[in-house]
Amino acid sequence: MYKINENYQKLPGSYLFSTIAKKVSAYTQANPGKGIIRLGIGDVTLPLAPAIIAAMHKAVDEMADAATFRGYAPDLGYGFLRDAVASQDYQSRGCGISPDEIFVSDGAKSDSANIQEIFSQDNRIAVCDPVYPVYVDSNVMSGRTGAYDAASGTWSDVIYMPCTMENGFVPEFPKETPDIIYLCLPNNPTGTAITKGQLQGWVDYANKVGAVIIYDGAYEAYISEENVAHSIYECEGAKACAIELKSFSKNAGFTGVRLGYTVVPKELKCGGVSLHGMWARRHGTKFNGAPYIVQRAGEAAYSPEGKAQLKEQVAYYMRNASAIKSGLQEAGYTVFGGVNAPYLWLKTPGKMTSWEFFDYLLEQANVVGTPGSGFGPSGEGYFRLTAFGSYENTQKALERIKGL
Ligand code: MLT
């Protein structure tokens, strides 16, 4: 008789964004004709940039010709993309990352969920609270998190690093020593960034206690302040303790195209065993490479035209971010984020819980956001809005919220 992976039974509810989608769909079915504005999930709305579309068209034509047709992609990624990433995202910033330390994938979400596989079951993970739910849920699925306490919304074996208004949403070194530390900077969901000096502190801490940092840099393109690192490898010693995840979703609008990469430096070793070798083995066994057309699209993000067009897209979304921030502040809300990230993190008004405010906004303003408590217990009493909507919808949503 077969048995299931019982760890899945421990997961409370469904994935946060699936729960929200179900609630919104139930509301729209019951209230047809309401013009719902979605500022919940961080999904882009601008079309792909012309340089990217041109590269995709060209790649499609190549696939139609026997002379240029491509079958299986190299499982670790095409050289043309790995070279572009290494030189433009790393070497140009003084980070000595080489193309063969880059593993191209179908996105940072899957990499952030899969990376835990190469670590022992008895490692303790530390996460920021609130946190992107994938880090915790993927560790629940693999049986690393202990028992769930519904009252506190926490797992017995997870080390939580509360990020609240009191500490400026910046995690502090935990009292218990973790083995794996998840950091997402600029942060989803709070929109906070830390200085390069603060990040260096985390690298030094990880090297001191023998921990590995899983560094999610999905929102790096939104950094606007000078003293914020664009990669963890800008910090000294990071190649010995950190894995970096990057996405093309937020900087190039690939949420529906799917492309990302993970950097595992060759220097990263556990008792002499190379994590780079382990991830290469895992990738080779479980992944057949991102599609050629998509990798050519990714390469185009590094062309001069591509870079200029994407800079405009990021600026477009950041204009939304500052409009939301100032608009809500005018309306009396306390708002954080939106400076180095496309997320706004606001205090719910009065004593409303995050989910109460979600329902209130959905029903009274027909605006969808994300309840802070969905990201962890310290997110209770907060609410996330994304700047990825169209400018017009963002303005409309603001008018509605101000009119409440
Ligand atoms: C979010 O809204 O937190 C993200 O868009 C989800 C994701 O990137 O998977």
Side-chain angles (χ1 to χ4, degrees):
M1 178 73 184
Y2 69 87
K3 294 196 178 99
I4 55 162
N5 177 351
E6 288 289 345
N7 295 317
Y8 277 65
Q9 302 302 102
K10 297 183 196 164
L11 286 163
S14 55
Y15 181 59
L16 173 62
F17 294 105
S18 315
T19 307
I20 292 172
K22 276 186 217 137
K23 268 183 161 265
V24 175
S25 138
Y27 179 80
T28 28
Q29 266 174 24
N31 301 276
K34 297 259 188 199
I36 302 281
I37 299 176
R38 290 161 202 272
L39 302 181
I41 191 163
D43 196 2
V44 292
T45 49
L46 289 173
L48 293 172
I52 287 167
I53 289 292
M56 291 178 96
H57 280 163
K58 184 163 174 276
V60 167
D61 288 342
E62 286 178 57
M63 296 299 261
D65 183 341
T68 47
F69 169 78
R70 313 274 183 135
Y72 288 125
D75 49 16
L76 305 186
Y78 280 104
F80 59 77
L81 181 56
R82 299 169 93 195
D83 288 348
V85 169
S87 74
Q88 300 209 37
D89 284 349
Y90 294 101
Q91 289 154 11
S92 68
R93 296 194 171 114
C95 312
I97 295 293
S98 60
D100 63 355
E101 293 176 303
I102 288 151
F103 298 80
V104 176
S105 73
D106 66 346
K109 179 179 182 180
S110 29
D111 281 356
S112 71
N114 291 329
I115 195 74
Q116 48 76 30
E117 279 184 36
I118 63 170
F119 298 102
S120 164
Q121 185 94 6
D122 56 8
N123 280 317
R124 294 279 317 265
I125 68 160
V127 295
C128 292
D129 172 24
V131 68
Y132 179 47
V134 173
Y135 312 152
V136 175
D137 287 2
S138 56
N139 277 284
V140 174
M141 290 169 177
S142 66
R144 203 174 279 115
T145 54
Y148 185 65
D149 175 35
S152 64
T154 57
W155 296 89
S156 59
D157 293 351
V158 172
I159 300 170
Y160 291 90
M161 303 183 285
C163 296
T164 59
M165 212 156 64
E166 287 66 40
N167 61 13
F169 306 101
V170 175
E172 287 153 26
F173 302 135
K175 289 189 186 69
E176 296 167 89
T177 305
D179 302 302
I180 303 172
I181 303 164
Y182 286 85
L183 291 179
C184 172
L185 292 162
N187 186 254
N188 178 17
T190 66
T192 313
I194 64 174
T195 65
K196 187 172 164 186
Q198 287 173 310
L199 186 59
Q200 181 68 57
W202 278 99
V203 168
D204 295 343
Y205 170 80
N207 277 324
K208 189 173 97 198
V209 302
V212 64
I213 297 176
I214 311 294
Y215 187 80
D216 184 343
Y219 300 94
E220 171 271 317
Y222 291 84
I223 293 173
S224 68
E225 291 180 319
E226 278 295 311
N227 60 351
V228 178
H230 286 256
S231 162
I232 196 166
Y233 303 116
E234 288 178 39
C235 297
E236 220 167 293
K239 283 199 273 180
C241 70
I243 290 173
E244 182 163 289
L245 317 173
K246 290 291 289 288
S247 165
F248 286 76
S249 289
K250 320 291 173 169
N251 68 324
F254 280 32
T255 52
V257 175
R258 306 309 310 151
L259 190 67
Y261 66 82
T262 287
V263 182
V264 189
K266 293 201 182 127
E267 241 176 72
L268 185 56
K269 294 201 169 128
C270 180
V273 178
S274 157
L275 271 65
H276 178 277
M278 288 179 76
W279 190 241
R281 185 70 175 85
R282 191 263 170 213
H283 223 52
T285 303
K286 295 198 175 184
F287 187 59
N288 246 340
Y292 174 68
I293 297 162
V294 172
Q295 293 197 52
R296 281 294 185 199
E299 181 192 27
Y302 294 93
S303 69
E305 316 77 63
K307 281 203 286 198
Q309 291 161 8
L310 296 183
K311 207 170 157 198
E312 274 176 35
Q313 294 200 344
V314 167
Y316 175 93
Y317 292 131
M318 286 312 272
R319 182 167 68 131
N320 289 346
S322 48
I324 301 174
K325 191 160 187 168
S326 55
L328 289 182
Q329 281 170 340
E330 277 162 33
Y333 286 86
T334 307
V335 193
F336 306 91
V339 175
N340 293 296
Y343 292 127
L344 288 302
W345 188 245
L346 50 122
K347 269 300 300 129
T348 55
K351 292 211 177 330
M352 271 194 199
T353 66
S354 301
W355 277 108
E356 280 165 0
F357 189 63
F358 173 88
D359 289 334
Y360 175 70
L361 220 56
L362 177 61
E363 288 159 22
Q364 305 302 319
N366 299 145
V367 172
V368 180
T370 309
S373 56
F375 296 102
S378 296
E380 183 56 276
Y382 291 93
F383 198 76
R384 195 192 76 177
L385 290 174
T386 158
F388 286 124
S390 69
Y391 184 68
E392 295 69 28
N393 273 347
T394 302
Q395 289 295 342
K396 220 185 279 176
L398 275 172
E399 287 315 311
R400 291 188 195 170
I401 297 171
K402 283 180 183 173
L404 286 174

